Amino acid sequence: MRVLITGGPTREYLDDVRCLTNPSSGRMGMELARAARARKHAVTLVTGPTAFPDPAGVRVVRVTSAREMAAAVAKAYPRCDVLIASAAVSDYRPRLRKAGKVKKGPARATLELVANPDILAACGRKKGRRVLVGFALESRDGLKNARKKLLAKNLDLVVLNDPGSFAAERIGATFVFAEGAERLPKMTKEKLAGVIFELLDRPHGGECACGC
Ligand code: C5P
């Protein structure tokens, strides 16, 4: 299969030295890319800023902002069979990026934000025969919201992470399908990546991981 993976955080600059971002380490995207490669798939990883080196045998596209990630995904998407979106994309960016370093000003300041494109939702609208997997991190009503996301973005699977999974070594996750859900035991991101590919590599018509 030709597998396209997104990973890492995005950075949305408000001037030349400050940005909006989040603590995603990029490890999940890296582990997914390695697991896919180990299973002999052709892999493209589009990742936001991460300290991890390029995994061997993987085409890596390094980006900074959500819009750059959207452009890189749009380029690779037509030629992929599977998309796994594990990136923690900033939903908003500052409306303006100022040149240089903005000087300290009054005690209160406001920052105007505009919405970023939803990369995965855009792919869901042009799904074709592809398999689409999203990740979700919810602080409440996890199952309900993950299921909503599955339907709204036209996905086959949502990997719902427990809060606290950001930059963590071992994470608790739940597979959410249209037909049901399966809670997984806490495991490393390396193991979770392997479990996701076990599911994707299973021939169609095989037993569903949720037991339905
Ligand atoms: O809607 P929410 O951000 O919770 O959805 C999470 C899923 O959507 C993740 O798979 C994430 O990579 C993807 N996403 C995206 N582009 C965005 C926001 C989220 O691809 N702008």
Side-chain angles (χ1 to χ4, degrees), residues 3-173:
V3 180
L4 175 60
I5 295 164
T6 71
T10 61
R11 281 187 195 160
E12 312 296 331
Y13 278 89
L14 45 122
D15 65 16
D16 285 348
V17 294
R18 303 182 182 96
C19 61
L20 299 179
T21 187
N22 61 68
S24 165
S25 65
R27 181 186 289 279
M28 195 66 237
M30 291 288 164
E31 296 295 0
L32 286 164
R34 285 161 51 143
R37 190 64 202 134
R39 287 164 182 266
K40 309 270 187 282
H41 299 306
V43 191
T44 299
L45 169 65
V46 178
T47 182
T50 170
F52 294 107
D54 291 5
V58 171
R59 188 174 153 255
V60 180
V61 184
R62 290 185 183 259
V63 297
T64 302
S65 67
R67 284 190 295 175
E68 285 171 18
M69 185 173 282
V73 167
K75 227 168 150 187
Y77 186 65
R79 276 165 285 104
C80 84
D81 305 302
V82 175
L83 167 66
I84 308 179
S86 71
V89 183
S90 176
D91 290 324
Y92 293 91
R93 66 177 182 276
R95 190 172 71 82
L96 295 172
R97 175 178 173 158
K98 304 237 170 85
K101 181 183 177 194
V102 173
K103 290 302 257 182
K104 196 189 293 178
R108 275 184 183 216
T110 52
L111 184 61
E112 196 181 345
L113 303 176
V114 293
N116 268 330
D118 191 315
I119 302 164
L120 183 55
C123 292
R125 288 191 288 273
K126 297 176 289 179
K127 186 173 197 271
R129 295 167 59 87
R130 296 177 188 84
V131 173
L132 302 187
V133 179
F135 274 65
L137 195 143
E138 304 286 342
S139 49
R140 45 184 252 246
D141 293 332
L143 275 177
K144 201 171 121 203
N145 285 323
R147 199 150 186 285
K148 251 195 203 162
K149 229 159 263 185
L150 180 98
L151 300 175
K153 300 195 189 194
N154 204 9
L155 310 179
D156 299 283
L157 166 66
V158 169
V159 181
L160 172 64
N161 288 335
D162 292 349
S165 299
F166 258 162
E169 274 299 314
R170 281 156 48 85
I171 58 173

Side-chain angles (χ1 to χ4, degrees), residues 8 148 175 187-188:
K148 251 195 203 162
F175 281 165
M187 61 180 80
T188 62

Side-chain angles (χ1 to χ4, degrees), residues 28 31-32 35 188-198:
M28 195 66 237
E31 296 295 0
L32 286 164
T188 62
K189 291 180 180 176
E190 181 184 6
K191 181 89 201 297
L192 178 60
V195 172
I196 290 169
F197 276 97
E198 263 165 41

